[in-house]
Amino acid sequence: MTKTLSALAVLLFATAAHAAQAPMPKQPSTAAVDPLAGLNMDQQMELCDRLETLKKENKPLSPKMQQQLKACQTMSMESAPEAAPDATQDR
């Protein structure tokens, strides 16, 4: 009986050790990486201005530059002031 218990214990620990060593598959990253990461606000503004100028001049933009331009447009849309209430506009 002790041999059976010992064999079961070894089997249990061996299975647990094997499962612990199995590498976890990498899950695809669902979080979008900020294309403006690592830049301070002044640098972001300069980059956004330069990208807008290139776009207006119909210059080709690399995929990374296109991502940065989208981030700039999103950032400017978020920081746009809300329309004033009607009572304020009447004054």
Side-chain angles (χ1 to χ4, degrees):
M1 175 114 176
T2 55
K3 289 184 180 180
T4 305
L5 288 175
S6 298
L8 286 174
V10 168
L11 182 63
L12 176 68
F13 290 123
T15 305
H18 178 69
Q21 293 175 357
M24 296 294 292
K26 290 187 177 182
Q27 296 178 350
S29 177
T30 57
V33 177
D34 183 16
L36 300 176
L39 301 176
N40 65 32
M41 189 57 74
D42 291 333
Q43 291 171 330
Q44 288 179 7
M45 291 173 62
E46 288 177 27
L47 177 63
C48 291
D49 288 341
R50 186 171 63 91
L51 291 172
E52 287 290 336
T53 302
L54 290 173
K55 182 181 176 187
K56 288 177 184 175
E57 294 174 355
N58 293 323
K59 302 273 175 127
L61 299 177
S62 70
K64 182 177 180 179
M65 293 168 81
Q66 291 174 356
Q67 288 178 340
Q68 291 170 332
L69 182 60
K70 284 182 184 179
C72 291
Q73 292 168 343
T74 303
M75 182 174 60
S76 63
M77 287 174 55
E78 289 175 356
S79 64
E82 294 291 324
D86 291 335
T88 306
Q89 291 177 352
D90 291 339
R91 289 185 206 158

